Amino acid sequence: MFTLSEENYLKTIYHLELDADKGISTNAIAKKLETKASSVTDMIKKLSDKEVVVYKKYKGVTLTELGKKTAANIVRKHRLWEVFLVEKLNFSWDEVHDVAEQLEHIKSPKLIDQIDAFLGFPTHDPHGDPIPDKDGNLKTIEKSLLSTLLKNESGICVGVNDSSSEFLKFLDKKGITLGKQLTVLEKEDFDGSLSILIDGEKLSISNKIANNLYIQK
Amino acid sequence: MFTLSEENYLKTIYHLELDADKGISTNAIAKKLETKASSVTDMIKKLSDKEVVVYKKYKGVTLTELGKKTAANIVRKHRLWEVFLVEKLNFSWDEVHDVAEQLEHIKSPKLIDQIDAFLGFPTHDPHGDPIPDKDGNLKTIEKSLLSTLLKNESGICVGVNDSSSEFLKFLDKKGITLGKQLTVLEKEDFDGSLSILIDGEKLSISNKIANNLYIQK
DNA sequence: ATATATTTTTAGACAAGACTAAAAATTATT
DNA sequence: AATAATTTTTAGTCTTGTCTAAAAATATAT
Ligand SMILES: [Mn+2]
Ligand SMILES: [Mn+2]
Ligand SMILES: [Mn+2]
Ligand SMILES: [Mn+2]
C-alpha cells in the first residue's frame, strides 16, 4: 500500500516517462510537484526500497513494472472520476481536475470497478486523455496538434495539451469542444495564427491556441 | 481547513456528544479512535486553538458551534456517500462504511451538493441514520429498540444500533431490511428472546438482535 | 584540461501525529 | 480524611514528509 505522497510521486514520474524515455531527473520531478530536489531524493529512496522505481544516484529514476502498474491505476481512477463528475454531476471540464486529484487516492477496488461500469466503460476522460485499463495499459490514438495542420486540411478535435481551467474556459467561449469538426481555411506564416471553419463559422486562432489543441485527421 | 486527523477527532466527539451531554472525556475519545489518551490530549489542544472545541484540563471537551457544524458536515458527507454507493453503485449496506470513511474527507462543496441532488435529497442513509442538512441540523425520528416492544405490538424497522458488517449480513440472511413491518408474537422473560412475524413468516430473535434493531411504532 | 556552472545528494532541522513512561490530578474506597 | 485506583497530562521519542544550507558529482565553457 502506498501513502498519498508516494502515489503523487509515482503518478508524476509516470507522466514524465511518457514523453522522455531516459531516466527522470530529480529536478524534473521537483518542478512538477512544486517541491525541492532534496525532498525528491528522499522520497525516491523510499520508492526504491518499495521496488516501484529503479534508482541510480545522480542518474535519475525509472518506474519498475510494479511502479508503472501502480501509477497507471491512479491515473485510471483520476480519469474515471473526471468522467463521472462531468457525465453524472454536471461539472464542466474545467472544474474536475482538482476534485479528481483528491478522489484518485480513494482505496476501494470495488468502487472504481462500479464507477467504470456505471459510466459504461468510457475510454477517454473529458479532456480527451485515454483511461488506462485495469492492467494499466493505455491505447493512444494518433493525434496531431492543430498547429501542424496545413491549409485546407480538416479533422476532429480530440484533446487538449494544456488543461488549465483558463484554457478550457476559453475554448468553451469560442465553442470549441471535443468531437467538433474543423477545417483550416488560412494559415499565417509570420505568427502561426490560423483561420478555421467550425460549426459553419469562421474563427481566428492564435498560434498559442493551435499549439494546445489536438486534432485527429 | 482541517486535516484528515482533525476531522476524525471532530466527528468522534460529535457522535459521543449525541448521547452524553457532559464534557467528553479523553479516554472516551481514545477508545473510539483506537488511539492513546496522550495522543488525544495533544490533538485536543490543537482543536482548542482552532476554536472548534472548548477544553478545560481534566474536564473533557465540548464542541463549539463551529465545531458542531464542521463535524455535522463530515457526517453529512459520510451518509450521502453511503446512499450513493448503495443506490447507484450496487453496494450492499454492509460494504459502504469503510469507503465512506475515506470519501467523507473529500473537499469540494459543489461535489457534495451535486451528489445530494443526484440522489434526490435523501433524508436517511442505508442504515436508517439521518443525514444532516447543509447547516448541520439533523432531525431525529423517534424510534425504539425492538427489545422494548411488548407482546402483540408491531412497528416498522427503521434503523440499526450495531452497524457492523457481521450484524448487517446476519439481518440480510434473515430477510430483515429497513422498511419492513414486524409484529411481536411472543416474548420470553428469562432470556429476552422474541418470536416475531415478518413477511408472514415466524422468526426467532435473540435478545442481542432485539437490542440492536430500531423500530418505529 | 581546467575552471565554472548546474544538478544532485547529504546533513541537520522542523511540524504533524502518534507512542511510552512517568508525573499530576481526580475519583473511589475504606 | 487518608489511601488507593483511575484518569489525564506532561516529557521525551519516533516516523513521515518537508525544508535550508552545504558538500559532492556531473555537465558546460573556456
Ligand atoms: Mn485531471
Ligand atoms: Mn483529464
Ligand atoms: Mn458509516
Ligand atoms: Mn451509515
Side-chain angles (χ1 to χ4, degrees), chain B residues 78-79 82 97 125-127 129:
Chain B
H78 182 105
R79 292 181 178 163
E82 286 189 343
H97 181 77
D125 84 357
H127 313 105
D129 293 314

Side-chain angles (χ1 to χ4, degrees), chain A residues 3-144:
Chain A
T3 66
L4 186 135
S5 200
E6 287 169 343
E7 289 192 344
N8 282 333
Y9 274 91
L10 284 175
K11 195 179 47 149
T12 299
I13 298 166
Y14 178 82
H15 285 310
L16 288 169
E17 266 193 358
L18 285 183
D19 33 33
D21 47 0
K22 350 154 209 174
I24 304 304
S25 77
T26 303
N27 257 6
I29 299 167
K31 196 170 179 182
K32 267 242 184 184
L33 282 172
E34 296 179 81
T35 185
K36 301 290 150 149
S38 53
S39 308
V40 174
T41 303
D42 284 346
M43 180 56 88
I44 277 171
K45 286 176 187 164
K46 286 173 206 158
L47 293 175
S48 181
D49 290 344
K50 290 196 172 187
E51 303 190 326
V52 281
V53 301
V54 176
Y55 170 51
K56 294 278 280 182
K57 260 191 201 177
Y58 294 100
K59 298 294 171 193
V61 286
T62 48
L63 291 172
T64 63
E65 275 313 304
L66 174 61
K68 264 178 217 155
K69 235 184 132 167
T70 307
N73 194 250
I74 301 161
V75 172
R76 171 175 164 78
K77 289 193 278 179
H78 182 104
R79 292 181 178 163
L80 281 170
W81 278 115
E82 286 190 341
V83 175
F84 170 73
L85 295 173
V86 166
E87 297 292 316
K88 302 293 181 181
L89 299 191
N90 292 111
F91 278 63
S92 57
W93 68 343
D94 60 286
E95 296 175 311
V96 295
H97 182 74
D98 291 348
V99 189
E101 284 289 305
Q102 299 178 61
L103 288 163
E104 72 189 5
H105 301 290
I106 301 293
K107 273 139 190 108
S108 166
K110 175 159 186 174
L111 174 58
I112 205 63
D113 283 352
Q114 294 296 102
I115 288 273
D116 192 24
F118 188 56
L119 296 171
F121 308 103
T123 59
H124 292 80
D125 83 359
H127 313 105
D129 293 314
I131 297 172
D133 68 23
K134 290 175 75 165
D135 299 319
N137 306 113
L138 50 86
K139 54 169 82 78
T140 42
I141 55 176
E142 7 64 83
K143 57 190 179 182
S144 331

Side-chain angles (χ1 to χ4, degrees), chain B residues 122-137:
Chain B
T123 58
H124 291 80
D125 84 357
H127 313 105
D129 293 314
I131 297 172
D133 67 22
K134 290 176 74 168
D135 300 318
N137 306 115

Side-chain angles (χ1 to χ4, degrees), chain B residues 27 45 55 57:
Chain B
N27 256 5
K45 287 176 186 165
Y55 170 52
K57 261 193 200 176

Side-chain angles (χ1 to χ4, degrees), chain B residues 175-207:
Chain B
I176 303 172
T177 56
L178 298 196
K180 286 227 169 137
Q181 168 113 25
L182 55 78
T183 308
V184 177
L185 298 176
E186 215 61 67
K187 201 168 172 178
E188 295 298 341
D189 271 349
F190 85 97
D191 69 349
S193 71
L194 301 173
S195 173
I196 66 169
L197 186 73
I198 184 166
D199 277 333
E201 303 267 322
K202 234 172 102 176
L203 208 63
S204 277
I205 295 289
S206 75
N207 180 248

